[in-house]
Amino acid sequence: MRKINTIALLIAFAAVIVYLGSASCGNGPGGNKTNVAHADSGQVKTPLSPVLPFDVTLPPKGTGVLETTIRRSFDVFSWDSFIAMCWPAQGHGVIGQFGDNATVWETWKKNYEVFLANGLPPAPWDTGLQSKEANLSQTGKTPANMTFIFQPFMTGPLIDQNGQYNRFEIAMNKEMFDYIDTHKLYNIQGQQAFTDSVLFPQGDNTKKTYGAIMVKASWKVLGKGDDTSRFHKVKAIIHIPALASRGIRDSSYEAWVGLVGLHIGTRTTISPQWIWSTFEQVDNAPDLGKAVNGKHYNYYNVAAGDKALNKAPAQPWNPGIPGQVPSQVARLTPIDTGTQALNDSIHKILVAINPHSVWQYYELIGTQWPVHPTQSNTGDPFPVYMANATLETYDQGSVVNGKIVYSPGVTSSCIGCHNASVTWAGRPSDFTYLLKSAQSLKK
Amino acid sequence: MDNSTKQYDAVIVGGGWAGSALAYRLASANKKVLVLEAGIAIDGLVTNPDENQLITGNRAEFMNDFFMAMAKTPESPYVQNYNAPRPAVLDIQPIPPFTLDNPAQLPAGAPPPATIDCADPKVSIKNNGYFIQRGPVPFGSTYERRGGGTSWHWLGTSLRMLPNDFKLKTVYNQAVDWPIGYEDLSDYYDQAEFEIGVSADVDEQQIHGITFSEGYVYPMAKIPATILDNTMDAGLAGQTFDGSSLKVTGTPAGRNGVPNQMKNGEFYDNGRRQCQGNTNCTPICPIQAKYDATVTMAKALMTGNVDIIYQAVATNITLDMTTMEVTGVEYKTYETTGGPCTGTFTATGTKYIVAAHAIEAAKLLLMSNTQIPAGVANYSGQVGKNLMDHPMYLGWGLMPKPVYPFRGPLSTSGIEGTRDGAFRSERASFRIEIGNEGWNWPGGAPYNQVIDVVSPMPPDQSGTPTVGIFGTALRQSIQSNFTRQFRIGFLIEQLPDADNCYIVPSKTCFDNLGVPRPEIYYDFDVYTMEGFKAAAAATDFIFDTLGVENNTGVPVGNGGVFKYEGVKYYAQGAGHVMGTHRMGTTGDDSVTDANMKSWDHDNLYIVGCGSMPTTATSNPTLTMTALAFKAADAILQSFA
Amino acid sequence: MTLDEFVSLSAALTGYPAVTLKPQNDTQQIAATLFAELSLASNNIPAAQLNELTQVWNSISATPPPGLPAAVQEKIIENLAITRLAQNIIYLWFFGTWYDLTKNPNSFTSPNIDHVVSPLAYTNGLVWGEMGAHPMGYSVGEYGYWANIPTLPQIN
Ligand SMILES: Cc1cc2nc3c(=O)[nH]c(=O)nc-3n(C[C@H](O)[C@H](O)[C@H](O)COP(=O)(O)OP(=O)(O)OC[C@H]3O[C@@H](n4cnc5c(N)ncnc54)[C@H](O)[C@@H]3O)c2cc1C
Ligand code: SF4
């Protein structure tokens, strides 16, 4: 293991250095506008960079091996993206220098800021960019009006060990926002009038352009048993929808929430079916059958047994109901060893910046990309299945008679599922369900 | 498991289609509802955290079972449960003494005595199927018993009935009229189409006197037609058969198309994915683009007003013999699908609704015979009687040019002109469904035909190796043959026949819980067989017109064989089980009134396709959903 | 038989190029999955039959392409000792299924050991793409694709 780690570390360094070299002007439109930190922070030196990669950098043609070196290129792309997106938003030092920091991606546009209830055009990109408080009112990973009716098999709430529901939010970068804004895709009528194919901008290494990036984040309300020094935290307004039958009224309160999952989707020239990177907080859930006694998991309780493993909670689903039974979650597909080695090496770099960096507690679960992009609509994704335990909890696969089974077309696959996404006009929406959250223009 | 301490406004037997629709309607009006479901739970649709410790199933597991099944039948994704068994198409066989070579000659006399060894319920169900078939012809339709019921493998066809379908007696002097007319259901059709999420085009559906409310649009636009549909439409333009137009029209489908802006200005959105053309609606849609009852049950449970108990098989309905009101529903529980009974409990409420599927509902009422020997709700003697289906005739062949089957939803268009006409005073009407899955249904395509050329069957039918084709020749053969395969299916009207078509709880054969299995007596009358004859003639006519190479012969599912006027026909089940608790205008000859309330018991409702007095030719479930909403309104009113 | 031998033989039997059957950057490992069926004890493959098929294939595999199909026809397909096993390799690729070698695949006598190899073996079955379609239950097409004429794969 040690040996692999060292090698991985070297590779990781090499890759990061390449970026430092190639992206010296770190002021790309998709990047951080206030990324002076790296250049002049002075106090902390790190090979990590606030500059988002444009696209993956692959091994020379014909030399790559799918499971190792090619996967590594995509994993490095994922980590580079994560680091740049979680870089301090307001130019205070480097990532994790002060333990935690408000991030770049949290300044991006949230879906509800783009798709307004009245269907009117959204405010320009740079209004309210600095707002830090997240309004987390959704309880499904897709936008509110898609999950308002809970869909069996699509998404159920995820309930942590304290009986609290996870919250989810969606954000997009400027490239993605601009595309929606320019083509008036922010309301139903705009989408119906749009007769071209929806094709978001793609990141390109040669042209040095950024592609569309969308982020899905999943948060847990911090509480009993949570070591808050291990989470990226924000204060959020927690919304509880009404449920008359249980005497629950529509209400909101403020609480600290910790980041537990982060999906990053990036559209690029090499990967027009997008590159799908998914991260989790390290305490979420054990691998199936590998729970460590005495360890505190966010979504697993060793004492509870595995009979309700990865099953959606009992109905009715409402976060206001007291005393709900926590979800019992295990990861069915372990993290690839090469990916894990890269995680370890990046964690070391993060610790070197600050031993208390919260970012050392986030790990890359995997990167899915289209291996043969022109072969079919889905482009032959690899790994074939990929799931984030906090975002696709109940679609990871099933355990049947002690064996894990994956069902093509149903078991979570980012590209596989997103391939079915459409606009309000019923046409393909380029791998994002986001456009379906548009509302009708109210005159 | 024991909910006997809690008092509910309504107890619903059956968490399938009708049960979900009723639970949702009642719970939305703030009624407390208990649902008893015989089968296993579906992930995410449990109300008691302990239920998550029971057996649950989910779409991914069902898909896995489907992928791994050799015979991809409607039942293939859904494992048999010996404590709440269900029939399977593979079990449909001629009933002794009849055989495939010597089938029943209809009309036949008294059904032959068939003896079945059912001493070991599991072995017997496994080997011979769940039904005790008494014939003379086997009943060909199946259903599912688990959360969501038969909606798991319905196809999605959601046609309205024709105005004349409600008045068969008045207009054609056949069978009986319904106690309601088209206009009574019109609004409920709108509601049912909204709940199911039907994709169709109003203009195209205005046939045979069907009307729509002012400004009505379906929730979603019509699903695009396939190349086959268009080929048939062009080839049959202007043609008629027996006076009926053969125009090809889009079939309203309970699967997601492109959202419409509805009459109220809202854009329809049910949050589920748009159809991707997986061509698998039956037996299971992998992405839930096709509606199933779990959608409605989820909404019902979200209200917080519904409790649902799974693995709870209703076995007896108890009565207060002075008021004649229902006082409770007894149910048996179990822990595993092959394990023993773990207890008997009673559920109580103010109103009771049996929504357990036409055959199981009738069986439950008849089994409840401890207080009234004839069974509950059976003053008329009609419970379990008048069992009907849309027996299907299949025709298949090769088109002169490729039509590219195995693409798109299983069926997107049909011929509806043949559903009504003066001929209905003589013979059954039918609708013609156009199948997009090649010879999959009649011929086991693509497997059987590929095997035919790669490993031709030796004359002695043995396992001796034979020489076939391979490589380029095989590829060419697949490309030229499979792209031209197609089939049509006739859904033939059947009339109620209380004497020859009925179900009773078996006195000798039981399932693993000790619950009687359904014993089925089934026959076709001359009216229906004349329909078969016309279907065969229509097939010839259509195929001739289109220049089709007619390959209609013995289908892979050949158990429904019978002879009429010396000609062999192979009937298939449509899955449309009707008539067993029919509604009507009096308690003398029907089980419920038009609100599906039992004539005999004031707080008992019986809802499902069993409510239908005649079959019409439209796939019945849209109408059944409309009826369920009608019943829900009546139940809510009865509380007021 | 080795995996490489299996893939080259499969190419000859199915009419598909070896690289289609076992692509570079093989995401789903179908060739390996199907190949494993040949060493599955429960498939009851007579060792002699498998050996003979391997040997025969190795003896003709170097035949230049124009003559190869004829060699396969003569030495394998028309050789009743091994043709049934060769047919099963065709079924593995076209359907993702294994048929009991002791019976005709279109006979349903039971018990038998017919089985689907795996969900991915099924969804990768060649028969579907050959006719311009997709496996029933697994489509990556877009809404309404069924109204358009598909392109059938090129046959060389
Ligand atoms: C292959 C196939 C294709 C079909 N396609 C179409 C179509 O295209 N269009 C159409 O209109 N219709 C179609 N149908 C018919 C449609 O599926 C049924 O009409 C519909 O599901 C009936 O609804 P239901 O609520 O009466 O019964 P179900 O949906 O079967 O629900 C009954 C429920 O009751 C439960 N239950 C049974 N017994 C008991 C008991 N004793 N105690 C407690 N619970 C019990 C069962 O487990 C089940 O969940 C099809 C059917 C089949 C088989
Ligand atoms: S065609 Fe496919 S996606 Fe569409 S409803 Fe049928 S199974 Fe579902």
Side-chain angles (χ1 to χ4, degrees):
Chain A
M1 267 329 265
R2 270 264 143 196
K3 210 164 175 186
I4 298 172
N5 284 357
T6 334
I7 297 167
L9 189 62
L10 288 175
I11 295 171
F13 264 111
V16 171
I17 286 160
V18 169
Y19 285 130
L20 286 177
S22 71
S24 50
C25 129
N27 228 345
N32 174 6
K33 300 224 171 206
T34 53
N35 62 351
V36 283
H38 165 71
D40 64 7
S41 64
Q43 312 98 320
V44 180
K45 279 214 162 18
T46 176
L48 301 179
S49 163
V51 182
L52 277 166
F54 302 112
D55 197 348
V56 63
T57 302
L58 289 171
K61 229 187 151 84
T63 66
V65 179
L66 183 75
E67 295 86 347
T68 55
T69 55
I70 299 180
R71 187 204 298 259
R72 172 54 61 96
S73 308
F74 281 93
D75 284 352
V76 166
F77 174 88
S78 296
W79 262 114
D80 287 347
S81 301
F82 181 87
I83 296 285
M85 286 168 49
C86 294
W87 205 265
Q90 274 127 10
H92 300 313
V94 307
I95 182 168
Q97 183 179 347
F98 307 106
D100 196 0
N101 55 265
T103 68
V104 167
W105 70 263
E106 285 160 292
T107 68
W108 290 356
K109 282 270 194 223
K110 306 286 157 59
N111 61 330
Y112 55 82
E113 297 171 316
V114 180
F115 304 107
L116 304 178
N118 52 15
L120 288 174
W125 172 254
D126 36 19
T127 27
L129 265 193
Q130 312 305 328
S131 132
K132 197 181 142 210
E133 261 180 357
N135 181 347
L136 300 164
S137 60
Q138 295 174 218
T139 39
K141 94 175 175 175
T142 37
N145 67 349
M146 284 182 76
T147 47
F148 182 66
I149 299 161
F150 284 81
Q151 297 305 316
F153 316 117
M154 278 208 210
T155 169
L158 175 60
I159 306 180
D160 70 17
Q161 290 298 304
N162 299 323
Q164 290 277 11
Y165 279 43
N166 251 37
R167 311 294 157 138
F168 305 92
E169 67 175 342
I170 299 176
M172 67 189 81
N173 72 345
K174 183 165 188 304
E175 281 66 20
M176 187 144 181
F177 171 79
D178 283 347
Y179 185 87
I180 292 171
D181 198 32
T182 315
H183 297 103
K184 300 192 168 50
L185 302 177
Y186 44 73
N187 60 33
I188 293 177
Q189 287 77 3
Q191 293 181 20
Q192 290 180 333
F194 187 73
T195 47
D196 280 356
S197 303
V198 176
L199 289 173
F200 286 98
Q202 46 194 32
D204 192 301
N205 282 338
T206 16
K207 294 188 200 141
K208 297 204 182 353
T209 55
Y210 283 103
I213 305 179
M214 57 187 164
V215 179
K216 278 178 205 167
S218 120
W219 302 87
K220 84 184 286 298
V221 178
L222 294 172
K224 206 173 123 246
D226 297 326
D227 179 349
T228 58
S229 70
R230 291 165 75 90
F231 293 89
H232 166 58
K233 297 170 286 295
V234 296
K235 208 166 210 180
I237 297 156
I238 305 288
H239 174 233
I240 294 182
L243 184 61
S245 64
R246 301 294 155 105
I248 295 167
R249 271 184 283 167
D250 191 279
S251 63
S252 297
Y253 66 98
E254 248 185 28
W256 283 99
V257 293
L259 183 70
V260 288
L262 194 73
H263 260 332
I264 307 168
T266 311
R267 187 162 199 270
T268 78
T269 303
I270 293 175
S271 300
Q273 285 92 345
W274 304 59
I275 300 170
W276 305 82
S277 316
T278 194
F279 290 83
E280 286 186 40
Q281 203 271 349
V282 296
D283 304 317
N284 282 346
D287 287 351
L288 180 68
K290 301 265 168 63
V292 178
N293 264 320
K295 182 173 159 58
H296 172 83
Y297 295 100
N298 299 332
Y299 308 103
Y300 188 86
N301 174 1
V302 177
D306 280 353
K307 277 195 101 177
L309 191 78
N310 296 349
K311 286 186 184 177
Q315 295 265 14
W317 292 334
N318 184 293
I321 301 171
Q324 296 192 57
V325 178
S327 306
Q328 182 78 339
V329 181
R331 186 184 316 291
L332 296 190
T333 313
I335 298 175
D336 170 72
T337 49
T339 306
Q340 192 54 55
L342 180 63
N343 288 341
D344 294 344
S345 64
I346 305 270
H347 289 158
K348 284 197 184 123
I349 307 175
L350 288 164
V351 171
I353 295 171
N354 179 352
H356 299 294
S357 171
V358 296
W359 303 110
Q360 66 181 299
Y361 302 112
Y362 292 88
E363 58 190 6
L364 175 64
I365 304 305
T367 314
Q368 193 188 49
W369 75 95
V371 175
H372 299 104
T374 54
Q375 178 180 300
S376 67
N377 285 349
T378 46
D380 194 15
F382 184 80
V384 179
Y385 307 105
M386 191 170 93
N388 184 302
T390 69
L391 288 159
E392 291 98 13
T393 314
Y394 310 113
D395 288 330
Q396 298 184 60
S398 334
V399 185
V400 177
N401 302 326
K403 249 185 63 193
I404 300 172
V405 299
Y406 301 104
S407 307
V410 191
T411 302
S412 177
S413 153
C414 315
I415 295 177
C417 168
H418 285 255
N419 175 45
S421 64
V422 290
T423 66
W424 274 100
R427 285 191 287 273
S429 57
D430 194 12
F431 294 88
T432 176
Y433 284 98
L434 217 56
L435 298 185
K436 250 325 192 33
S437 41
Q439 304 287 315
S440 172
L441 178 63
K442 309 251 156 47
K443 282 173 202 132
Chain B
M1 300 300 290
D2 185 359
N3 276 50
S4 42
T5 49
K6 207 162 159 185
Q7 178 69 27
Y8 292 93
D9 294 318
V11 173
I12 301 177
V13 178
W17 193 310
S20 300
L22 279 149
Y24 176 47
R25 274 299 162 93
L26 299 181
S28 300
N30 228 1
K31 298 294 171 217
K32 299 286 173 204
V33 177
L34 174 68
V35 177
L36 299 175
E37 168 51 51
I40 64 161
I42 303 302
D43 278 359
L45 295 185
V46 301
T47 50
N48 175 349
D50 292 343
E51 294 264 329
N52 251 342
Q53 311 282 327
L54 295 173
I55 310 159
T56 65
N58 60 48
R59 192 172 304 267
E61 286 164 23
F62 302 158
M63 278 306 292
N64 186 66
D65 287 333
F66 162 78
F67 285 138
M68 295 304 285
M70 282 302 291
K72 307 222 182 288
T73 62
E75 291 78 32
S76 59
Y78 315 106
V79 185
Q80 181 64 288
N81 173 347
Y82 294 101
N83 285 324
R86 49 90 177 123
V89 293
L90 289 179
D91 297 322
I92 293 157
Q93 293 301 333
I95 300 156
F98 301 124
T99 62
L100 289 175
D101 296 328
N102 186 20
Q105 293 265 6
L106 300 186
T115 50
I116 298 129
D117 174 9
C118 55
D120 182 329
K122 276 186 257 188
V123 172
S124 156
I125 291 169
K126 196 164 188 223
N127 294 343
N128 304 313
Y130 171 53
F131 286 156
I132 309 299
Q133 300 266 15
R134 293 295 191 187
V137 285
F139 186 70
S141 278
T142 66
Y143 48 93
E144 274 306 321
R145 291 173 88 194
R146 63 183 58 220
T150 313
S151 72
W152 275 101
H153 59 47
W154 82 305
L155 166 63
T157 300
S158 302
L159 290 152
R160 294 187 178 200
M161 280 172 54
L162 312 174
N164 276 351
D165 290 337
F166 295 88
K167 308 182 280 204
L168 215 55
K169 182 77 188 168
T170 308
V171 183
Y172 300 112
N173 197 26
Q174 292 291 349
V176 289
D177 285 349
W178 285 44
I180 48 172
Y182 179 84
E183 42 317 324
D184 298 307
L185 272 194
S186 180
D187 277 354
Y188 289 113
Y189 271 134
D190 292 7
Q191 294 171 31
E193 282 157 356
F194 181 81
E195 182 57 29
I196 293 169
V198 178
S199 301
D201 176 14
V202 162
D203 290 342
E204 204 179 25
Q205 300 307 322
Q206 283 169 335
I207 49 159
H208 295 303
I210 289 182
T211 53
F212 291 87
S213 58
E214 182 70 29
Y216 183 76
V217 283
Y218 278 93
M220 289 164 291
K222 128 181 209 186
I223 306 264
T226 57
I227 297 165
L228 170 63
D229 297 337
N230 293 332
T231 307
M232 292 197 52
D233 185 36
L236 294 174
Q239 299 288 345
T240 57
F241 174 78
D242 206 357
S244 307
S245 158
L246 293 179
K247 170 142 194 54
V248 171
T249 50
T251 306
R255 65 174 77 85
N256 280 354
V258 179
N260 272 337
Q261 183 167 24
M262 294 174 303
K263 194 160 127 172
N264 64 4
E266 298 286 323
F267 286 84
Y268 179 82
D269 184 18
N270 58 26
R272 290 182 284 116
R273 279 179 266 182
Q274 200 164 299
C275 170
Q276 256 190 304
N278 282 293
T279 326
N280 214 51
C281 325
T282 302
I284 180 168
C285 175
I287 62 169
Q288 210 182 25
K290 181 194 74 178
Y291 171 85
D292 60 63
T294 65
V295 169
T296 302
M297 183 57 87
K299 291 195 286 185
L301 301 184
M302 284 291 292
T303 65
N305 285 324
V306 180
D307 287 336
I308 181 162
I309 308 179
Y310 292 95
Q311 297 173 215
V313 182
T315 51
N316 190 28
I317 296 170
T318 56
L319 302 171
D320 176 330
M321 291 304 286
T322 30
T323 63
M324 290 311 277
E325 294 222 330
V326 173
T327 54
V329 177
E330 288 174 11
Y331 61 96
K332 287 187 195 302
T333 62
Y334 56 91
E335 256 162 33
T336 61
T337 55
C341 175
T342 50
T344 304
F345 305 91
T346 304
T348 55
T350 309
K351 310 281 174 183
Y352 294 84
I353 302 158
V354 176
H357 186 275
I359 288 177
E360 296 298 328
K363 195 186 85 180
L364 172 62
L365 296 170
L366 294 171
M367 275 162 59
S368 305
N369 60 2
T370 46
Q371 290 166 289
I372 306 177
V376 164
N378 197 20
Y379 171 79
S380 64
Q382 295 298 312
V383 173
K385 296 286 170 70
N386 310 307
L387 174 67
M388 298 175 285
D389 192 359
H390 291 133
M392 287 187 73
Y393 175 85
L394 301 180
W396 62 100
L398 291 178
M399 280 281 181
K401 289 215 181 85
V403 287
Y404 304 103
F406 298 94
R407 298 163 84 247
L410 283 182
S411 177
T412 34
S413 296
I415 294 171
E416 316 296 335
T418 53
R419 285 167 62 189
D420 196 28
F423 57 81
R424 280 178 102 178
S425 47
E426 309 284 324
R427 67 147 171 98
S429 60
F430 45 70
R431 69 172 291 260
I432 309 173
E433 174 190 274
I434 300 172
N436 289 325
E437 79 307 18
W439 298 355
N440 182 267
W441 185 358
Y447 302 93
N448 296 24
Q449 294 80 36
V450 169
I451 292 171
D452 278 342
V453 294
V454 173
S455 313
M457 182 70 82
D460 65 353
Q461 310 272 310
S462 74
T464 317
T466 50
V467 174
I469 61 171
F470 73 102
T472 302
L474 171 60
R475 294 189 59 187
Q476 279 161 346
S477 142
I478 294 174
Q479 291 198 0
S480 72
N481 287 308
F482 284 95
T483 53
R484 295 186 295 130
Q485 283 190 353
F486 83 110
R487 66 98 183 150
I488 51 178
F490 294 74
L491 289 85
I492 301 171
E493 184 182 20
Q494 194 175 9
L495 299 178
D497 179 350
D499 296 333
N500 296 305
C501 299
Y502 59 97
I503 83 115
V504 290
S506 171
K507 291 200 173 68
T508 48
C509 295
F510 304 90
D511 68 18
N512 195 57
L513 274 191
V515 177
R517 285 157 61 184
E519 196 169 296
I520 302 188
Y521 296 79
Y522 192 58
D523 196 0
F524 299 129
D525 62 10
V526 168
Y527 184 82
T528 295
M529 289 186 295
E530 284 292 324
F532 269 92
K533 200 165 107 185
T539 302
D540 289 343
F541 176 76
I542 290 172
F543 284 13
D544 278 353
T545 311
L546 296 171
V548 165
E549 176 186 328
N550 193 343
N551 295 83
T552 307
V554 183
V556 285
N558 54 7
V561 61
F562 68 90
K563 252 188 187 173
Y564 175 60
E565 294 180 345
V567 180
K568 266 194 202 175
Y569 295 92
Y570 296 89
Q572 311 287 325
H576 305 165
V577 191
M578 295 169 272
T580 51
H581 45 83
R582 70 176 181 186
M583 54 179 175
T585 38
T586 79
D588 293 332
D589 61 1
S590 67
V591 180
T592 72
D593 66 15
N595 287 326
M596 283 140 284
K597 188 173 88 174
S598 157
W599 292 112
D600 309 354
H601 315 285
D602 227 21
N603 63 342
L604 175 66
Y605 293 76
I606 308 151
V607 185
C609 295
S611 306
M612 302 182 180
T614 55
T615 66
T617 47
S618 43
N619 311 44
T621 317
L622 175 75
T623 302
M624 182 198 79
T625 311
L627 291 175
F629 287 161
K630 185 173 195 297
D633 276 356
I635 293 165
L636 288 172
Q637 257 162 35
S638 75
F639 278 112
Chain C
M1 193 179 291
T2 65
L3 177 58
D4 283 345
E5 287 165 344
F6 174 71
V7 172
S8 59
L9 170 59
S10 295
L13 290 171
T14 59
Y16 276 86
V19 46
T20 308
L21 303 183
K22 189 172 180 298
Q24 238 221 315
N25 295 329
D26 189 357
T27 57
Q28 307 196 28
Q29 306 279 337
I30 298 306
T33 306
L34 301 180
F35 176 57
E37 287 290 312
L38 294 187
S39 43
L40 205 63
S42 55
N43 283 346
N44 293 328
I45 306 170
Q49 201 173 343
L50 184 57
N51 280 340
E52 186 178 342
L53 180 62
T54 313
Q55 272 166 22
V56 171
W57 172 242
N58 283 330
S59 73
I60 59 171
S61 61
T63 316
L68 190 59
V72 173
Q73 171 80 27
E74 182 196 331
K75 299 281 183 297
I76 297 179
I77 299 298
E78 287 172 14
N79 178 349
L80 293 185
I82 54 175
T83 195
R84 192 54 199 84
L85 183 56
Q87 289 165 0
N88 255 24
I89 294 177
I90 294 177
Y91 299 134
L92 283 175
W93 283 104
F94 277 88
F95 301 154
T97 54
W98 179 265
Y99 290 100
D100 197 325
L101 285 172
T102 62
K103 64 170 189 60
N104 184 284
N106 258 344
S107 134
F108 302 102
T109 46
S110 67
N112 63 56
I113 52 167
D114 294 354
H115 64 273
V116 176
V117 174
S118 74
L120 285 178
Y122 168 79
T123 55
N124 282 278
L126 294 172
V127 67
W128 311 103
E130 192 70 72
M131 52 171 123
H134 56 82
M136 292 177 85
Y138 185 77
S139 157
V140 298
E142 53 198 55
Y143 181 73
Y145 73 81
W146 49 88
N148 309 319
I149 292 177
T151 333
L152 300 185
Q154 197 74 39
I155 302 177
N156 308 311

